[in-house]
Amino acid sequence: MTTEADRESTRERDREREQLSLSTAAARNLATTTKSAPQMRGISSRWLLRRLPWVEVSGGTYRVNRRLSLAVGRGRVGFVQAGADDVRIIPETLREIPVLRDFGDTALLTELAGRFTARDFRSGEVIVEEGHPIEEVFIVAHGRIERLATGKYGDQETLGVLADGDHLGDEALLQSDPLWTATVRADTAGTVLALPWADFLDLFNRSEDLRDHINAFLANASRKVNSKGEVEIAVSAGHEGEAEIPGSFVDYDLAPREFELSLTQTVLRVHSRVADLYNDPMNQLEQQLKLTIQEIREREEWELLNNREFGLLHNAAYDQRINTWSGPPTPDDMDDLLSMRRGTDFFLAHPKAIAAFFRECNKRGIYPDSTDVDGHRIPAWRGVPIFPSGKIPITGGQVSSILAMRTGEDRQGVIGLHQTGIPDEYEPGLNVRFMGIDDQAVIRYLVTAYYSVAILVQDAVGILENVHLAAPRS
């Protein structure tokens, strides 16, 4: 119970704590506040935009002319999964098999897709054996399988890895006595879809369109081509005397790919009262515009990687895509990726993929080197810098890709496309156009960036796919 003496003691202590000077809270009302410019967490290093050489596209369209190629690339077949045990082929994606490329009869493709049957396999199971007759076509729906062949001295050698969407057995059309040239063994558990050759021959005999299409394919396959699938140019070398010198010419692709400039846009709104009254010490419009442009540039880089029409991840040739040997990215995988082109300027990988690669290096006692790029110390492999990009997607929470690319128009590499000198240009390829003031006194500006990216020759970009990011349990 509080006594009168206690209350008097409390009042005495309060008098001793009376304020003797101006408080800091009150003083701040008279002080000038030092402010930072608006900050933004979403700004990344954007190495792809910085390292691409940009080519002027004056007409808004860039055409990539190439030498005529007869080699038909091996694409990836797509699937839909209605249930745990119900995996079906998307019929239109059967055109990714070389012999069916550009085949027009969708109804026949639907019937063909329906004749594939699912077959599960276990890790370590042998699916086909080298030297046996080819009696089925296989499409990998899920899982990873290895192709193994007998080496020169009888030992077993690994030729490559196949994963989701890859197919094998269709090469039997190009052989008079079709035999498996390699043993196919499951590296993980998974599912393949199998089509007996008898079912395919049944459709072949029934459909005149299919026969004509395959005969045309076989006729092109018999023409002489170089190692890259381009029509061969006849030359003569090492002859003596008056030998007859062959004549030839370089044929061009009759349907070259054209890239139209894409765009990213937004309408920036600023109230006139804000623009009139609150511009000291920082201009409100400039600060709004600065962060808006940063966001547009971030989306621009995302589109250069992920856009289905022109993005690098979707437009890299399938024969320039390889799978990891074991799941995580190893030095062996990076060497394979480097070996696919005559020159590589840089790798591009998600930061988690770079960390996964470093873990594999640590296991082997390897310390990757680094290189100086514009004053930054960047990790490198074989002297090729590895730039981080968080815009490369991670699927399933643990699987990503690593890109390797050669750049430059003079090196037949990857180039960025833009057009400068456009009306109301604010930055190269980006303009800010005044759109007027509406009835609510809001000033509007249209901010637009125009851009695209082109792969001049197929081997300019290679992709290491199915890169596992999760650290293994110890």
Side-chain angles (χ1 to χ4, degrees):
M1 185 174 181
T2 304
T3 64
E4 182 61 29
D6 293 333
R7 288 194 290 272
E8 181 63 26
S9 177
T10 299
R11 286 194 291 270
E12 182 66 24
R13 287 196 300 271
D14 290 342
R15 283 193 294 271
E16 291 176 356
R17 289 199 300 266
E18 286 181 0
Q19 184 174 326
L20 302 178
S21 64
L22 183 67
S23 68
T24 56
R28 278 200 298 268
N29 292 327
L30 302 182
T32 299
T33 302
T34 302
K35 296 173 283 293
S36 75
Q39 307 297 305
M40 178 176 172
R41 289 182 61 187
I43 299 175
S44 66
S45 54
R46 299 200 293 266
W47 281 110
L48 181 60
L49 291 185
R50 294 161 63 180
R51 304 309 300 177
L52 277 182
W54 291 88
V55 173
E56 184 73 18
V57 181
S58 58
T61 302
Y62 187 90
R63 178 181 298 156
V64 179
N65 289 306
R66 290 174 177 164
R67 184 175 161 186
L68 179 62
S69 176
L70 296 179
V72 181
R74 303 178 67 83
R76 301 285 174 82
V77 176
F79 304 90
V80 290
Q81 188 165 357
D85 301 318
D86 188 6
V87 181
R88 301 176 187 174
I89 294 173
I90 301 173
E92 292 78 8
T93 64
L94 286 174
R95 296 189 178 102
E96 298 297 334
I97 300 175
V99 71
L100 296 176
R101 181 63 53 85
D102 298 328
F103 181 63
D105 191 342
T106 303
L108 188 67
L109 292 177
T110 302
E111 183 178 355
L112 181 62
R115 297 198 178 197
F116 280 84
T117 57
R119 187 181 303 166
D120 293 333
F121 55 82
R122 303 181 305 276
S123 177
E125 180 180 344
V126 175
I127 300 172
V128 298
E129 290 190 9
E130 181 182 3
H132 286 208
I134 298 179
E135 297 177 345
E136 291 179 298
V137 175
F138 296 98
I139 300 177
V140 184
H142 178 67
R144 187 170 66 245
I145 61 179
E146 295 178 322
R147 294 180 65 246
L148 308 169
T150 303
K152 181 178 179 180
Y153 300 104
D155 55 331
Q156 202 168 54
E157 299 175 344
T158 303
L159 300 181
V161 177
L162 302 176
D164 304 5
D166 287 327
H167 38 86
L168 62 159
D170 56 288
E171 63 269 22
L173 280 173
L174 303 178
Q175 304 173 23
S176 57
D177 184 19
L179 300 175
W180 289 109
T181 58
T183 295
V184 177
R185 186 180 66 193
D187 188 45
T188 66
T191 303
V192 295
L193 284 98
L195 173 73
W197 263 113
D199 285 11
F200 179 80
L201 293 176
D202 177 55
L203 293 177
F204 179 82
N205 293 327
R206 282 172 37 199
S207 172
E208 183 177 354
D209 289 343
L210 182 58
R211 288 197 301 273
D212 292 343
H213 180 83
I214 291 178
N215 289 333
F217 170 80
L218 295 176
N220 277 335
S222 64
R223 295 180 61 182
K224 292 183 178 180
V225 296
N226 62 17
S227 60
K228 302 297 183 182
E230 298 169 328
V231 176
E232 188 177 75
I233 300 174
V235 297
S236 178
H239 52 272
E240 297 180 359
E242 298 178 354
E244 183 177 352
I245 300 175
S248 188
F249 66 96
V250 180
D251 205 354
Y252 300 135
D253 186 354
L254 295 178
R257 174 89 182 267
E258 291 187 347
F259 295 86
E260 294 184 0
L261 292 184
S262 184
L263 77 166
T264 296
Q265 288 182 311
T266 190
V267 176
L268 175 62
R269 298 183 178 94
V270 180
H271 198 283
S272 58
R273 180 169 55 188
V274 172
D276 291 342
L277 301 179
Y278 300 98
N279 283 326
D280 186 26
M282 299 178 193
N283 185 286
Q284 293 285 349
L285 175 60
E286 287 182 2
Q287 296 302 321
Q288 289 278 304
L289 193 57
K290 169 185 161 185
L291 297 187
T292 300
I293 290 174
Q294 291 285 356
E295 186 63 34
I296 285 178
R297 293 303 192 192
E298 292 291 330
R299 181 54 184 265
E300 176 181 345
E301 186 174 62
W302 188 94
E303 293 285 328
L304 294 183
L305 286 168
N306 297 284
N307 186 285
R308 296 199 67 87
E309 294 297 322
F310 58 85
L312 297 177
L313 287 170
H314 294 284
N315 286 269
Y318 282 108
D319 61 4
Q320 294 298 313
R321 301 167 185 259
I322 58 174
N323 287 283
T324 58
W325 289 100
S326 58
T330 65
D332 297 333
D333 296 321
M334 298 293 273
D335 285 342
D336 285 347
L337 195 56
L338 281 176
S339 69
M340 295 166 64
R341 68 201 48 78
R342 62 177 182 264
T344 302
D345 291 326
F346 59 87
F347 295 102
L348 196 67
H350 194 282
K352 290 185 177 180
I354 298 175
F357 173 62
F358 285 171
R359 283 196 297 270
E360 294 302 310
C361 290
N362 291 339
K363 289 179 183 178
R364 303 185 182 201
I366 299 172
Y367 184 77
D369 54 356
S370 63
T371 185
D372 184 84
V373 179
D374 299 335
H376 300 270
R377 297 302 299 176
I378 302 296
W381 179 250
R382 308 293 190 195
V384 179
I386 308 173
F387 292 117
S389 175
K391 298 176 182 67
I392 297 177
I394 297 176
T395 58
Q398 63 172 1
V399 180
S400 187
S401 301
I402 297 177
L403 289 86
M405 66 185 75
R406 180 181 69 248
T407 60
E409 197 171 25
D410 57 336
R411 302 178 65 217
Q412 302 182 82
V414 181
I415 56 173
L417 307 176
H418 69 176
Q419 182 176 338
T420 59
I422 57 180
D424 301 314
E425 188 172 57
Y426 190 84
E427 290 182 359
L430 182 147
N431 64 359
V432 180
R433 311 196 78 170
F434 176 67
M435 296 179 63
I437 305 175
D438 62 18
D439 293 341
Q440 285 75 40
V442 175
I443 308 171
R444 296 179 300 149
Y445 297 88
L446 177 64
V447 187
T448 309
Y450 298 97
Y451 55 85
S452 190
V453 65
I455 302 171
L456 298 185
V457 174
Q458 290 90 332
D459 71 351
V461 173
I463 302 180
L464 179 65
E465 296 185 313
N466 294 318
V467 173
H468 288 227
L469 310 180
R473 297 179 63 181
S474 56

